[in-house]
Structures are given as C-alpha cells and as structure tokens.
Amino acid sequence: MHTVILACLAAVAVAAPQQYHNYDGPDYRHIAILRDEREDRGDGNFRYEFETEHGIHVNAVGTPGSKGQSNIQGFYRFPVAGSRAEVTYVADELGYRPQSPLIPTPHPLPAHAQEQIRVAEEQRRQGITWD
C-alpha cells in the first residue's frame, strides 16, 4: 500500500509544471529596450525602429499613399528555435505583402495540371467557350 501511495505522489510530482510563467506576478521581468527611435514629420512620412534585449528588432518606414493610406516598408526579426526569423513586408494600396521563408507556400502544381491550364488559356484566346 505504501508503494502505491509513493508511486502516486511521484507521478503527481513529475506531472506538475516545471516552470510557471505568471506575467502579472512577482516572477515578471521587464525586457530591456536597447534602441527606440521614432520620427514623425507630420506630413505622412515617418519611420521607427526598436530592438529588445531578447533579439526582437522592428523597422518601418512610411510615406503617404496615393489613396490616402500609409505606404509602409519594413521588417521584423525575432528569435525562434535557436535561430533568428525575419519577415520583410510592404503594406500599401495593394495590401499587406510579407515575405519570409517562414511563410508556408503551396506545393507546385504537377506538370499535367500546368499543361491543362496552358491548354485552357490557349483555347480561351482562340474564343472557344463552354456552357
């Protein structure tokens, strides 16, 4: 009986969380901002850049857009799995367009599907239609 109780206590101890992250409690540690630069010219042109001690780095440059929007080009970097991830982006009248090897891309179409698309486009150019 004592062995069963000890085994249960050991199982509870092993299953208990090893670290508790309470971001509102006494274990909370502020992350130092190493650099924080901001510039707003008041005419729609702006730029900002900041970097933290944990390796987060953000940079953006904005200009007025042709349709009243802000056009922004920039990047953000952050640590992930022992390396550094980076996303570059453009945001303008065409929307937000990020680029990064982290962003999943669809598998390439197989050769027969590409050929079917090519044939369909050629038939469309020739005026062939279907109901």
Side-chain angles (χ1 to χ4, degrees):
M1 180 68 167
H2 292 287
T3 306
V4 172
I5 293 173
L6 286 174
C8 289
L9 288 174
V12 168
V14 170
Q18 301 300 310
Q19 262 186 334
Y20 177 70
H21 296 285
N22 181 358
Y23 296 109
D24 295 327
D27 294 336
Y28 179 76
R29 184 170 89 73
H30 287 278
I31 311 287
I33 304 295
L34 302 176
R35 182 171 44 170
D36 187 352
E37 300 172 6
R38 300 164 195 248
E39 180 183 350
D40 185 351
R41 297 184 189 156
D43 61 356
N45 291 289
F46 65 90
R47 67 170 210 76
Y48 62 85
E49 185 166 11
F50 69 85
E51 193 170 356
T52 71
E53 69 177 312
H54 279 96
I56 297 170
H57 187 182
V58 177
N59 175 292
V61 175
T63 57
S66 63
K67 300 184 181 196
Q69 81 286 351
S70 288
N71 291 342
I72 305 171
Q73 290 185 339
F75 68 84
Y76 48 94
R77 295 182 191 128
F78 53 94
V80 61
S83 66
R84 201 172 265 250
E86 181 171 333
V87 177
T88 60
Y89 66 91
V90 173
D92 56 18
E93 62 274 353
L94 301 176
Y96 176 72
R97 297 182 311 279
Q99 293 183 338
S100 173
L102 298 173
I103 298 172
T105 57
H107 293 287
L109 289 174
H112 72 278
Q114 292 177 8
E115 177 63 16
Q116 287 175 330
I117 292 169
R118 188 195 65 71
V119 168
E121 288 172 348
E122 179 62 32
Q123 290 173 339
R124 205 172 290 120
R125 276 193 292 277
Q126 293 173 5
I128 300 172
T129 59
W130 290 270
D131 288 336

